Amino acid sequence: MSLNVYLVFNGNCREAVEFYAKVFDTETPQIMSFADSPPNPEYPLPEEAKNLVMHARLTINGSTVMFSDTFPGMPFTVGNNINITIVSQSKDEITTYFHRLKEGGTVDMELQETFWSKCYGQLTDKFGIPWQLSYESEENK
């Protein structure tokens, strides 16, 4: 299991990821835009979202830092744009932590299968800390 920082930007994520990659002499970042995700006919992707960053990650001095842009129409507040992300190869661990963290908090996205994880969810705990929990199997590394 790893504990990671997830930084959220308001349309300038690509610029930020490329900047941090240079600052910390990391690998060339792999950047996935919202347009790279599988289409969902029930939720067509707005034009203004297509080139925004859905997900990117860098390894900085041995730690994973993840990045994304806020989806158009979602609230963005500087200072609240950092999430703690738990990535685990144990689905039971993800489920247990999710249910413990949601007590007294707010669930933003129930645990569910996504195209990048068999078990992923988002919540804000009772102290106002935003969390992402993601099961990472060997097949989706």
Side-chain angles (χ1 to χ4, degrees), residues 65-77:
V65 180
M66 296 182 276
F67 306 81
S68 73
D69 276 311
T70 301
F71 195 79
M74 298 298 290
F76 177 84
T77 304

Side-chain angles (χ1 to χ4, degrees), residues 4 8-9 24 52 62 65 92 133:
N4 304 302
V8 181
F9 295 83
F24 296 107
L52 294 176
V65 180
D92 289 339
L133 294 96

Side-chain angles (χ1 to χ4, degrees), residues 11-14 31-36 45-54 69 72:
N12 59 344
C13 183
R14 187 176 308 273
I31 299 175
M32 176 190 290
S33 69
F34 285 103
D36 295 329
L45 191 62
E47 194 62 39
E48 65 271 21
K50 290 183 177 176
N51 290 322
L52 294 176
V53 174
M54 180 178 175
D69 276 311

Side-chain angles (χ1 to χ4, degrees), residues 22-38:
K22 286 180 186 173
V23 167
F24 296 107
D25 292 320
T26 71
E27 72 280 4
T28 302
Q30 300 286 321
I31 299 175
M32 176 190 290
S33 69
F34 285 103
D36 295 329
S37 64

